[in-house]
Amino acid sequence: MKPPPHTLDAQPFAYRYELPHTALVIIDMQRDFVEPGGFGESLGNDVTKLQSIIPTCQAVLSAWRQAGGLVVHTREAHAPDLSDCPPAKRLRGEPRLRIGDDGPMGRILIAGEPGHQIVPQLAPRVGEFVIDKPGKGAFYATPLHALLQGRGITHLVFMGVTTEVCVQTSMREANDRGYDCLLVEDGTASYFPEFKQATLDMIRAQGAIVGWTSPAAPLIESLYK
């Protein structure tokens, strides 16, 4: 007999999911964004705002692993020759270090460099997917959709950074592909807290037009029901 779906209190209404058909997607919790000396700090941002969510992400990841759920990690990065980095992206603004420049953790946002790696507290395990993406969204120019479809995934739970850029872009991409998405409110962060709040409001507006939001605690609790 098929077990009933997991249910948790969420906004704008209850979120229901079946663990075998749901993946936890952790967006860009990599050193270049979260630690001093990376791309995030080169833009003039306070990276401690992003570091603050690591314990929550750890708790959700641990519970998800114990329950046997599929885990996906993403990393934004480019090829060493920058062939997949449009000049408009590299040259925009006035950062202290641009994509491809040498920084304290190697070349900024380049695949294989120390700054490209996910923070140790959330390091991927064998069997978990690691998706390197050249853009903001997790689906653009990556095999993610095919991997999820091949495993019968219909629901996605998102955490990571930053809320209004890579997380929201990935959720909107997922929504357009038919996935039912939940964003863990205290498992995501922005360098600008007001941007995070605005994103949460947009995502769950008009009957979950992009997806649902919920704190981590109800999600973890739902895994044990």
Side-chain angles (χ1 to χ4, degrees):
M1 184 175 177
K2 185 178 179 180
H6 298 281
T7 303
L8 65 140
D9 290 334
Q11 292 192 56
F13 50 87
Y15 182 74
R16 294 178 175 83
Y17 67 98
E18 296 176 352
L19 190 64
H21 300 291
T22 307
L24 176 65
V25 183
I26 307 174
I27 301 290
D28 297 2
M29 290 297 290
Q30 60 200 91
R31 298 180 67 199
D32 260 326
F33 294 127
V34 178
E35 294 184 4
F39 187 56
E41 188 179 67
S42 79
L43 295 170
N45 297 308
D46 176 6
V47 296
T48 63
K49 291 184 172 68
L50 272 54
Q51 293 170 6
S52 68
I53 67 169
I54 290 176
T56 296
C57 291
Q58 282 183 294
V60 173
L61 178 58
S62 176
W64 199 265
R65 284 169 168 166
Q66 290 179 23
L70 180 67
V71 178
V72 177
H73 306 261
T74 76
R75 301 179 297 197
E76 182 177 347
H78 295 281
D81 63 0
L82 298 177
S83 58
D84 57 357
C85 181
K89 179 180 182 181
R90 184 173 188 272
L91 300 177
R92 188 171 300 147
E94 297 182 353
R96 181 170 51 84
L97 293 170
R98 295 189 183 277
I99 296 171
D101 289 350
D102 289 319
M105 294 186 289
R107 294 180 67 199
I108 297 292
L109 283 188
I110 297 298
E113 297 288 336
H116 174 234
Q117 302 306 312
I118 293 168
V119 295
Q121 301 94 320
L122 303 171
R125 290 183 178 176
V126 174
E128 297 176 350
F129 292 133
V130 180
I131 302 292
D132 286 333
K133 57 188 185 65
K136 305 297 189 291
F139 290 85
Y140 169 69
T142 77
L144 180 56
H145 184 53
L147 290 172
L148 296 174
Q149 290 294 286
R151 286 154 181 79
I153 299 298
T154 58
H155 289 59
L156 300 175
V157 174
F158 282 90
M159 301 192 299
V161 299
T162 62
T163 313
E164 77 280 7
V165 184
C166 293
V167 175
Q168 179 177 203
T169 301
S170 298
M171 288 190 71
R172 290 182 180 275
E173 288 181 328
N175 183 62
D176 283 346
R177 289 163 174 78
Y179 297 95
D180 281 339
C181 302
L182 173 77
L183 177 57
V184 180
E185 296 169 4
D186 45 349
T188 187
S190 170
Y191 301 117
F192 309 95
E194 65 273 22
F195 290 178
K196 171 181 173 177
Q197 185 59 52
T199 302
L200 294 175
D201 292 339
M202 286 188 287
I203 284 170
R204 61 199 180 203
Q206 301 181 72
I209 193 168
V210 176
W212 288 254
T213 74
S214 169
L219 172 63
I220 293 172
E221 183 180 352
S222 75
L223 288 168
Y224 299 103
K225 290 182 179 178

PDB file of all heavy atoms in Angstrom, residues 37 58 97 146 156 178 198 203 215:
ATOM      1  N   GLY A  37      37.022  36.823   0.783  1.00  0.00           N
ATOM      2  CA  GLY A  37      37.995  36.610  -0.274  1.00  0.00           C
ATOM      3  C   GLY A  37      37.415  36.125  -1.570  1.00  0.00           C
ATOM      4  O   GLY A  37      38.139  35.974  -2.559  1.00  0.00           O
ATOM      5  N   GLN A  58      22.535  22.786   7.357  1.00  0.00           N
ATOM      6  CA  GLN A  58      23.086  21.531   7.868  1.00  0.00           C
ATOM      7  C   GLN A  58      21.987  20.657   8.469  1.00  0.00           C
ATOM      8  O   GLN A  58      21.948  19.442   8.237  1.00  0.00           O
ATOM      9  CB  GLN A  58      24.138  21.806   8.934  1.00  0.00           C
ATOM     10  CG  GLN A  58      25.493  22.225   8.414  1.00  0.00           C
ATOM     11  CD  GLN A  58      26.481  22.390   9.558  1.00  0.00           C
ATOM     12  OE1 GLN A  58      26.333  23.274  10.402  1.00  0.00           O
ATOM     13  NE2 GLN A  58      27.493  21.543   9.588  1.00  0.00           N
ATOM     14  N   LEU A  97      37.269  42.433  -7.819  1.00  0.00           N
ATOM     15  CA  LEU A  97      37.783  41.332  -8.619  1.00  0.00           C
ATOM     16  C   LEU A  97      36.691  40.872  -9.579  1.00  0.00           C
ATOM     17  O   LEU A  97      35.536  40.697  -9.164  1.00  0.00           O
ATOM     18  CB  LEU A  97      38.207  40.160  -7.730  1.00  0.00           C
ATOM     19  CG  LEU A  97      39.403  40.385  -6.813  1.00  0.00           C
ATOM     20  CD1 LEU A  97      39.535  39.234  -5.828  1.00  0.00           C
ATOM     21  CD2 LEU A  97      40.685  40.541  -7.622  1.00  0.00           C
ATOM     22  N   ALA A 146      16.967  16.744 -16.984  1.00  0.00           N
ATOM     23  CA  ALA A 146      17.006  15.356 -17.439  1.00  0.00           C
ATOM     24  C   ALA A 146      17.292  14.401 -16.280  1.00  0.00           C
ATOM     25  O   ALA A 146      16.690  13.315 -16.184  1.00  0.00           O
ATOM     26  CB  ALA A 146      18.058  15.195 -18.532  1.00  0.00           C
ATOM     27  N   LEU A 156      10.464  19.870  -5.605  1.00  0.00           N
ATOM     28  CA  LEU A 156      11.798  20.329  -5.256  1.00  0.00           C
ATOM     29  C   LEU A 156      11.748  21.212  -4.010  1.00  0.00           C
ATOM     30  O   LEU A 156      10.890  22.103  -3.914  1.00  0.00           O
ATOM     31  CB  LEU A 156      12.412  21.131  -6.401  1.00  0.00           C
ATOM     32  CG  LEU A 156      12.573  20.400  -7.748  1.00  0.00           C
ATOM     33  CD1 LEU A 156      13.068  21.355  -8.815  1.00  0.00           C
ATOM     34  CD2 LEU A 156      13.502  19.208  -7.615  1.00  0.00           C
ATOM     35  N   GLY A 178       7.214  22.520 -14.460  1.00  0.00           N
ATOM     36  CA  GLY A 178       6.169  21.711 -13.847  1.00  0.00           C
ATOM     37  C   GLY A 178       6.445  21.172 -12.468  1.00  0.00           C
ATOM     38  O   GLY A 178       5.650  20.386 -11.942  1.00  0.00           O
ATOM     39  N   ALA A 198      11.298  40.441   0.002  1.00  0.00           N
ATOM     40  CA  ALA A 198      10.514  40.699  -1.201  1.00  0.00           C
ATOM     41  C   ALA A 198      10.383  39.434  -2.047  1.00  0.00           C
ATOM     42  O   ALA A 198       9.314  39.153  -2.613  1.00  0.00           O
ATOM     43  CB  ALA A 198      11.150  41.813  -2.021  1.00  0.00           C
ATOM     44  N   ILE A 203       7.272  34.877  -4.335  1.00  0.00           N
ATOM     45  CA  ILE A 203       7.188  33.446  -4.623  1.00  0.00           C
ATOM     46  C   ILE A 203       5.839  32.872  -4.217  1.00  0.00           C
ATOM     47  O   ILE A 203       5.217  32.113  -4.959  1.00  0.00           O
ATOM     48  CB  ILE A 203       8.337  32.701  -3.910  1.00  0.00           C
ATOM     49  CG1 ILE A 203       9.646  32.925  -4.668  1.00  0.00           C
ATOM     50  CG2 ILE A 203       8.047  31.207  -3.777  1.00  0.00           C
ATOM     51  CD1 ILE A 203      10.863  32.433  -3.934  1.00  0.00           C
ATOM     52  N   PRO A 215       9.518  27.714   7.152  1.00  0.00           N
ATOM     53  CA  PRO A 215      10.742  27.547   7.936  1.00  0.00           C
ATOM     54  C   PRO A 215      11.215  26.098   7.893  1.00  0.00           C
ATOM     55  O   PRO A 215      10.476  25.185   7.503  1.00  0.00           O
ATOM     56  CB  PRO A 215      10.310  27.948   9.353  1.00  0.00           C
ATOM     57  CG  PRO A 215       9.065  28.749   9.171  1.00  0.00           C
ATOM     58  CD  PRO A 215       8.387  28.184   7.964  1.00  0.00           C
TER      59      PRO A 215
END
